[in-house]
Amino acid sequence: SQQGEEDPQALSIQEGENATMNCSYKTSINNLQWYRQNSGRGLVHLILIRSNEREKHSGRLRVTLDTSKKSSSLLITASRAADTASYFCATDYRYTGTASKLTFGTGTRLQVTL
Amino acid sequence: SQTIHQWPATLVQPVGSPLSLECTVEGTSNPNLYWYRQAAGRGLQLLFYSVGIGQISSEVPQNLSASRPQDRQFILSSKKLLLSDSGFYLCAWGTIRAFFGQGTRLTVV
């Protein structure tokens, strides 16, 4: 399956530091998305970057995409304790029709300590 | 605005018992609907998706089935649960971005 793989699996940093997570995928994509999951909850969409974009910003989030290397990174600047969560990348390739099949990676567990 | 409801939040079921998890979406019509399963500490596995009433596509052969009896209703079922069916089940809707319900924690004992 076209599954992304996040790296590292777990990351522990102190509040105020930056957190960088990486994602690799296998085949051509339409877009790549990052989601956040608080423990035991559903996923929340953070940011989407299209295959023809190289960088995108949203608040303290910065996403890069390198389609030649089939990789993406998520940078969270000036992290806060509330950023503690699991972060997933999801790649999208379109089946016939309108359904998008989002394939998720295994996630990075981020722990931000005071 | 659109909302998605998924219930129950937690469920403990004995092996061999049936299962029915329900998901409904409000505020949109003809949504693409998805069921995912997440094993403990793992990523999400797409189980089923639907682009319309009665149209179900299965991603992984397994002990589960899905149905879409109404436009904004998506049901995940099993006739006889296995221990391996335990996990965190998530319903989602969307075309490009996915909007997730809060999930159902299923424990088969």
Side-chain angles (χ1 to χ4, degrees):
Chain A
S1 66
Q2 185 175 297
Q3 186 173 31
E5 294 290 336
E6 285 90 342
D7 171 58
Q9 290 187 334
L11 180 61
S12 182
I13 60 174
Q14 290 191 321
E15 199 170 51
E17 294 180 336
N18 296 341
T20 300
M21 290 158 266
N22 303 295
C23 168
S24 60
Y25 57 92
K26 297 177 182 177
T27 62
S28 297
I29 58 173
N30 295 315
N31 63 68
L32 186 142
Q33 304 175 43
W34 285 90
Y35 288 78
R36 166 194 168 125
Q37 183 182 34
N38 288 346
S39 180
R41 306 297 296 274
L43 279 73
V44 175
H45 182 270
L46 294 176
I47 194 167
L48 179 153
I49 186 165
R50 300 189 187 282
S51 59
N52 61 353
E53 297 177 311
R54 292 297 169 259
E55 187 171 313
K56 200 161 186 180
H57 297 255
S58 177
R60 293 185 295 113
L61 305 180
R62 172 178 171 256
V63 170
T64 62
L65 179 64
D66 187 336
T67 53
S68 66
K69 295 181 179 178
K70 293 186 172 57
S71 67
S72 173
S73 67
L74 171 67
L75 168 67
I76 303 174
T77 60
S79 63
R80 306 166 181 168
D83 294 328
T84 294
S86 292
Y87 293 82
F88 295 87
C89 68
T91 51
D92 168 48
Y93 59 95
R94 196 65 59 88
Y95 280 119
T96 57
T98 61
S100 282
K101 177 184 173 182
L102 279 182
T103 306
F104 287 82
T106 53
T108 292
R109 294 185 304 278
L110 174 65
Q111 177 76 43
V112 182
T113 56
L114 297 173
Chain B
S1 64
Q2 301 89 357
T3 56
I4 180 169
H5 303 279
Q6 184 181 345
W7 67 93
T10 60
L11 191 59
V12 180
Q13 292 283 103
V15 168
S17 65
L19 173 73
S20 181
L21 302 180
E22 188 163 344
C23 171
T24 60
V25 180
E26 296 177 356
T28 185
S29 59
N30 196 31
N32 293 336
L33 295 170
Y34 307 86
W35 277 110
Y36 287 87
R37 177 169 61 197
Q38 184 178 30
R42 302 293 299 279
L44 278 70
Q45 179 187 36
L46 179 61
L47 302 176
F48 301 95
Y49 69 92
S50 172
V51 299
I53 295 174
Q55 300 179 63
I56 309 294
S57 296
S58 174
E59 286 296 302
V60 182
Q62 59 207 322
N63 186 40
L64 301 168
S65 62
S67 62
R68 184 169 178 174
Q70 301 181 42
D71 181 44
R72 288 169 287 179
Q73 183 184 31
F74 205 22
I75 298 172
L76 183 69
S77 303
S78 173
K79 293 182 179 178
K80 292 184 178 182
L81 284 169
L82 306 172
L83 288 174
S84 58
D85 292 324
S86 294
F88 191 51
Y89 289 83
L90 288 157
C91 179
W93 75 273
T95 301
I96 297 177
R97 290 176 51 178
F99 299 89
F100 285 85
Q102 290 303 300
T104 296
R105 175 79 55 195
L106 171 66
T107 303
V108 183
V109 296

